[in-house]
DNA sequence: ATGGATTATTAGGCAAACCTAATATATAAT
DNA sequence: ATTATATATTAGGTTTGCCTAATAATCCAT
């Protein structure tokens, strides 16, 4: 007999979370997954074993997890749904930027491919979500995300905000308050010693951002202000 | 710690199901609830006790269940969400009539009141769903549904289809195939003996409908064709 | 190489929603 | 009043997804 419950929502969130973390490092420590999902490492470890048995990921002990091709395809399907809903919520329902991430994170699990594709049609097949992140294709392929973290820039360097790496609503609210959003010019002015917070200039306002926050703001660097060493890194 | 899962979807489906059945009879036998949800009576009974403890309904053994005011309010909130999504899916995404019921039944549980009200705004505050059923208010009040079941009409009687009482996608597909939809004229031509199926005329086509199906097609009767006995019933 | 920190596993539990099989109770029909 | 039927409860079990506490294995830095 089939149950009333979906019992696939957890699985989907694991895959999505791993895919999102994978753009920062690969393989992903199980600890990171647990922390992001707000559960114990034991529970995460259990579930990861189950997903490994089903060939959706591979776990190398003491290293971390990597999605298989099928796992990544599935993850990107969920991400596609979330980002399309984000577009709908902002563009059509006029819900603010910092709210749509969490709202879409609930809808994504209740959406099949028929609705997804009809929605994509209706929205005119957008290529990025309101936070600037690319929307995967119907086939579950995602263009490589662009930009480098603001946190990697040094004083004097700056550029245009390309996207906000997907993360909790709290961070988005924090950024929304300071009017830090995709498309805007931003410049690093100062970095406190001992890997401390960055002082940044956006519009005509100065703000101090913690390293964790700065790591999620992805920049298209302004090449003029950029040190040549970093230029090499980016191009080569 | 909070769980990843909602664990409220079941509760919502119980309340909604009971509210929908309540328009046919009151109180509702627990058996009906179990059957509609496709679960055992034991499971339904368990859950109904839990909902009773939380004052969302009242259960009189060997009679059935009635929603409390709070229970009905909650149920109508879910119904509002479902029917607004149904409008969205048909009007904006151009998904057919018979599909939207089930699709919206998944979205309804992933939708909070912010999204619901923004959606209602966006759709221009529709008053009925694509199946003709009334959409409850923000406060959880629903206008009394109109019409009498097609199954109660006798040969020669007819009228306009007002709405299809909410039920499975199978029934909707069945009706969609025969072009039986809200707004159309329909007339009973014949009833087979021993409470058998009805032969009906819609457009220029004749169809034979089982009693169960006919019970879900709600009619605004054409008073000229109507027997005076039934007229009394309706008006008085 | 060795000790301390990180990572993984084991053991034992819990709650929500389901299930079947068996039993008990109330209502309805003869 | 008795019996048959419908309804309810009890008992015991499953799966999913989470938990804590304790232990074991590995990695890394000195
Ligand atoms: Mn989600
Ligand atoms: Mn986004
Ligand atoms: Mn539903
Ligand atoms: Mn409807």
């Amino acid at each position: 007999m089939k149950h009333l419950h979906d019992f696939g929502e957890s699985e989907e969130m694991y895959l999505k979370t791993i895919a999102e973390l994978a753009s920062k490092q690969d393989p992903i420590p199980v600890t990171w997954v647990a922390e992001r999902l707000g559960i114990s490492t034991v529970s995460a470890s259990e579930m990861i074993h189950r997903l490994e048995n089903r060939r959706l990921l591979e776990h190398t002990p003491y290293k971390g997890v990597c999605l298989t091709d099928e796992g990544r395809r599935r993850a990107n399907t969920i991400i596609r749904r979330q980002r399309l809903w984000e577009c709908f919520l902002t563009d059509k329902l006029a819900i603010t930027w910092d709210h749509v991430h969490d709202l879409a994170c609930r809808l994504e699990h209740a959406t099949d491919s028929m609705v997804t594709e009809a929605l994509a049609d209706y929205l005119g097949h957008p290529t990025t979500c309101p936070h600037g992140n690319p929307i995967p294709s119907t086939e579950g392929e995602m263009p490589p995300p662009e930009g480098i973290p603001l946190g990697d820039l040094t004083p004097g360097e700056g550029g245009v905000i390309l996207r906000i790496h997907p993360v909790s609503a709290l961070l988005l609210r924090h950024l929304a308050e300071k009017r830090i959003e995709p498309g805007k010019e931003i410049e690093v002015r100062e970095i406190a010693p001992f890997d401390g917070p960055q002082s940044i200039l956006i519009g005509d306002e100065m703000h101090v951002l913690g390293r964790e926050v700065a790591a999620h703001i992805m920049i298209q660097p302004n090449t003029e202000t950029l040190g040549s060493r970093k230029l090499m890194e980016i191009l080569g």
Side-chain angles (χ1 to χ4, degrees), chain A residues 29-77:
Chain A
V30 179
T31 322
W32 291 20
V33 179
E35 199 186 5
R36 257 289 207 92
L37 291 172
I39 61 180
S40 73
T41 55
V42 177
S43 300
S45 208
E46 259 179 12
M47 179 58 121
I48 279 167
H49 286 328
R50 258 176 273 158
L51 294 173
E52 190 170 35
N53 286 335
R54 297 174 43 204
R55 304 292 136 91
L56 295 171
L57 51 77
E58 277 163 38
H59 177 224
T60 321
Y62 302 98
K63 296 287 181 203
V65 291
C66 297
L67 293 177
T68 60
D69 287 349
E70 174 61 12
R72 189 174 10 265
R73 222 210 74 246
R74 299 264 274 263
N76 285 342
T77 299

Side-chain angles (χ1 to χ4, degrees), chain A residues 83 86 101 129-131 133:
Chain A
R83 293 185 181 167
E86 284 177 351
H101 184 270
C129 82
H131 312 99
N133 300 113

Side-chain angles (χ1 to χ4, degrees), chain A residues 79-178:
Chain A
I79 291 172
R80 173 173 171 81
R81 286 168 194 179
Q82 178 179 31
R83 293 185 181 167
L84 286 170
W85 278 123
E86 284 177 351
C87 289
F88 171 72
L89 293 172
T90 49
D91 296 354
K92 306 292 184 180
L93 299 197
I95 294 175
T96 57
W97 201 63
D98 49 328
H99 283 92
V100 300
H101 184 270
D102 283 12
L103 296 172
C105 185
R106 296 189 55 201
L107 291 168
E108 67 192 358
H109 311 289
T111 312
D112 71 359
S113 58
M114 175 157 72
V115 173
T116 306
E117 298 318 312
L119 183 63
D121 260 22
Y122 181 58
L123 296 172
H125 298 278
T127 56
T128 64
C129 82
H131 312 99
N133 300 113
I135 295 177
S137 74
T138 313
E139 292 75 34
E141 278 156 60
M142 179 150 57
E146 289 175 350
I148 62 170
L150 177 68
D152 288 5
L153 300 187
T154 50
E157 296 175 334
V160 170
I161 301 175
L162 283 181
R163 55 193 187 90
I164 312 295
H165 192 81
V167 80
S168 71
L170 288 90
L171 183 102
L172 293 175
R173 203 138 313 144
H174 192 238
L175 296 180
E177 276 168 20
K178 297 180 161 56

